[in-house]
Amino acid sequence: MRDFVLPDLGEGLTEAEIVDWRVEVGDEVTVDQPVVEVETAKASVEVPCPFSGRVTALHGGPGEVIAVGAPLISIDTAASGAGAGFGEPGVVVPEARGSAESGGGGNGATAAVQGSGAVLVGYGTGEGVARQSGGRRRALSADGTRTTASAAPSPPPGTRHRTPVVSPLVRRIAREHGIDVASLAGSGEGGLVLRRDVLAAIAERQSAAASAPTGAAESASAAGRAAVPLRALPAEAPEEAERIPLSGARATMAERLSRSRREIPEATVWVDADATGLLELRATLNGADPQRPVSVLALLARFCLLGLRRYPALNGRVDTERSELVRFGHVHLGFAAQTPRGLMVPVVRDADRMTTRELAAELSATTSAARAGSLPPSRLTGGTFTVNNYGVFGVDGSAAIINHPEVAIVGMGRIVKRPWVVGDEVVARPVTELTLAFDHRVCDGEEAGGFLRFVADCVERPALLLGDV
């Protein structure tokens, strides 16, 4: 019997939510067969099993969160005569974190079982290299003889220490709130302490603090009222409230935005712009080639890319450890996209090297992939500048939050007809509000205002683009 634990998902991910099982108890599985779909903080992916056999147990149901290193599925490898698993010489399955209870190699490939080395579909395999951890690992030597290596002797019976938590995120939350994870009874597999256990301990502590006496004055007042008979009050029914756990992409975005507010001294500038020229340009481009349409977001992105050539400080980040401002020679453009899984910021790499139509096509395709949940984690990280068309939600303006560790984000509100002075007359014109939130450490208001004014001028008079292309 072999337990396959949730493997290291990469990208700093420490847990995943089960979306759907691809197999049931009693099914026969083969090496590298996808057995479950999980949703991480970055994307939905399928997890392949590194060995074959008959499924004997599923450790969790849809909607449950599994920590990296916790058992995912149990396989009876002897049931199908698959004791040797995938017998390619030199291939081993990487060990998973926190799998001390399993007593063997990682990913459930213990004893005489060799896996394929696959971790996640789309994430690559172990390439035959065993992870250097404190557990045990088994591999095949060059002559085909199985060998076993142990980094340290096993502790004597009764003295074995169990690590109660494997997630660095859970450890950090506990440390910030003064919670000793060793004192908690974990609700995960084998007593594993999960994030919900730490949050429950924090809530219990806060509740106890709120119910404690507020001071001597309150005690004295209570003593003075003790002699006065009190009328019994009816007990109030507890207030019911829905609790929705922060998980997946929403949890990641919450952490990133919170960090942005904590670390970045941001400032915001904004300006109204007559969008007549922008709309006319879009209509002309789409009329000339309807098969390759150009969106308002694509034109806004093009204006920003040209502006970053003039004001490169906004395309960078702050290296706090070395006290340096970093400016990039490329633009990996992030853009805000609302999806069924929450707000995401997909990234279009080397956007500054694309034509306007290429950029429009890439933005459209990436948006569709983000909403379908098929974007790989690599497409959700590494941005250097972000644009946001929040006007699609019918709002005029917004003080956007910078996508940490970037240093600036441009936003555009809805385009609506308003009174506008043209020459000496007041006429109705389509007007939009542009905003720029920027990190005040990288530039002052003069540079930030200059950048936003350039973008606004392009919106009003797109012919200005010809001077920079």
Side-chain angles (χ1 to χ4, degrees), residues 217-243:
E218 180 178 332
S219 299
S221 176
R225 297 192 302 266
V228 180
L230 298 179
R231 183 178 57 186
L233 298 177
E236 296 184 0
E239 181 180 357
E240 294 185 1
E242 181 182 9
R243 292 182 176 272

Side-chain angles (χ1 to χ4, degrees), residues 50-51 91-95 105-109 114-118 129-131 138:
F51 40 78
V91 177
V92 298
V93 178
E95 294 182 18
N107 288 8
Q114 287 294 332
S116 69
V129 179
R131 182 173 304 161
R138 287 175 168 82

Side-chain angles (χ1 to χ4, degrees), residues 164-181:
V165 58
V166 298
S167 169
L169 175 62
V170 174
R171 291 185 184 277
R172 180 176 62 78
I173 295 175
R175 183 172 62 253
E176 291 178 351
H177 292 82
I179 301 296
D180 180 11
V181 293

Side-chain angles (χ1 to χ4, degrees), residues 109-132:
T110 60
V113 176
Q114 287 294 332
S116 69
V119 180
L120 289 180
V121 173
Y123 282 78
T125 65
E127 299 296 337
V129 179
R131 182 173 304 161
Q132 301 299 316

Side-chain angles (χ1 to χ4, degrees), residues 2 11 30 44 61 64 78 86 103 142 153 230 255 260 302 310 339 356 393:
R2 304 291 173 247
E11 296 287 332
T30 59
S44 294
E64 294 188 31
F86 188 81
L230 298 179
E255 170 59 27
S260 176
R302 170 57 62 200
R310 296 190 177 191
T339 74
T356 301
F393 302 119

Side-chain angles (χ1 to χ4, degrees), residues 3-271:
D3 284 337
F4 172 40
V5 301
L6 182 65
D8 189 341
L9 307 175
E11 296 287 332
L13 303 174
T14 58
E15 61 184 16
E17 179 180 336
I18 296 175
V19 176
D20 183 47
W21 284 102
R22 299 289 191 256
V23 296
E24 299 179 352
V25 174
D27 289 352
E28 294 288 336
V29 297
T30 59
V31 173
D32 278 354
Q33 175 182 336
V35 294
V36 64
E37 179 185 358
V38 299
E39 180 181 29
T40 70
K42 301 292 182 68
S44 294
V45 293
E46 291 185 329
V47 181
C49 185
F51 40 78
S52 61
R54 182 172 55 84
V55 178
T56 60
L58 306 178
H59 300 285
E64 294 188 31
V65 176
I66 303 295
V68 170
L72 187 62
I73 186 173
S74 295
I75 305 292
D76 182 2
T77 57
S80 62
F86 188 81
E88 181 179 346
V91 177
V92 298
V93 178
E95 294 182 18
R97 292 177 287 173
S99 57
E101 284 81 5
S102 65
N107 288 8
T110 60
V113 176
Q114 287 294 332
S116 69
V119 180
L120 289 180
V121 173
Y123 282 78
T125 65
E127 299 296 337
V129 179
R131 182 173 304 161
Q132 301 299 316
S133 69
R136 296 168 61 87
R137 63 184 185 274
R138 287 175 168 82
L140 294 177
S141 62
D143 60 359
T145 304
R146 190 173 305 282
T147 60
T148 301
S150 178
S154 300
T159 63
R160 189 174 185 179
H161 173 69
R162 176 180 63 82
T163 302
V165 58
V166 298
S167 169
L169 175 62
V170 174
R171 291 185 184 277
R172 180 176 62 78
I173 295 175
R175 183 172 62 253
E176 291 178 351
H177 292 82
I179 301 296
D180 180 11
V181 293
S183 65
L184 300 180
S187 61
E189 185 74 21
L192 192 69
V193 175
L194 305 179
R195 179 164 52 183
R196 60 172 174 262
D197 302 321
V198 175
L199 295 179
I202 295 173
E204 182 178 354
R205 174 178 292 184
Q206 292 174 343
S207 176
S211 61
T214 57
E218 180 178 332
S219 299
S221 176
R225 297 192 302 266
V228 180
L230 298 179
R231 183 178 57 186
L233 298 177
E236 296 184 0
E239 181 180 357
E240 294 185 1
E242 181 182 9
R243 292 182 176 272
I244 303 175
L246 283 174
S247 60
R250 193 175 297 277
T252 299
M253 188 56 63
E255 170 59 27
R256 187 177 298 175
L257 297 180
S258 297
R259 185 175 182 183
S260 176
R261 283 299 195 200
R262 290 195 305 265
E263 298 183 8
I264 298 179
E266 69 179 37
T268 303
V269 291
W270 58 91
V271 64

